Amino acid sequence: MKLKPLNDRVLVKRIEMEEKTAGGIYIPDSAKEKPSKGVIVAAGPGKLDDAGKRVDMTVKEGDTVLFAKYAGTEIAIEGEEHLVMREEDILAIVS
């Protein structure tokens, strides 16, 4: 299934965090927090401003981003979890 977000929305796939801490302790699945870092899989064309002109997106496909902890709506695409969120929910682009 191919998904194309509308307006200023993006499709993000979470990047899984390591299962071991810096001290060598393994973290069980039940104690892990969902990561707030991901890769943009698809991006919409951008939102319309008051004059009706399209404002380009700041992010693009392939960008690694940080986003708010409870941002977006979780969806499953071919068995993998993704998030659909607005561009404004993205906090930073990781380079």
Side-chain angles (χ1 to χ4, degrees), residues 1-4 11 41 75-80 82:
M1 170 177 28
K2 188 161 176 126
L3 200 90
K4 178 72 174 169
L11 181 66
V41 177
I75 61 169
I77 300 174
E78 296 176 2
E80 294 185 27
H82 291 75

Side-chain angles (χ1 to χ4, degrees), residues 66-87:
L66 295 176
F67 49 87
K69 189 172 188 176
Y70 298 107
T73 302
E74 292 183 0
I75 61 169
I77 300 174
E78 296 176 2
E80 294 185 27
E81 286 193 22
H82 291 75
L83 288 170
V84 176
M85 67 179 73
R86 291 190 174 273
E87 184 181 29

Side-chain angles (χ1 to χ4, degrees), residues 46-57:
K47 65 180 175 180
L48 295 174
D49 64 6
D50 294 333
K53 294 183 181 179
R54 181 110 17 221
V55 178
D56 291 334
M57 299 280 281

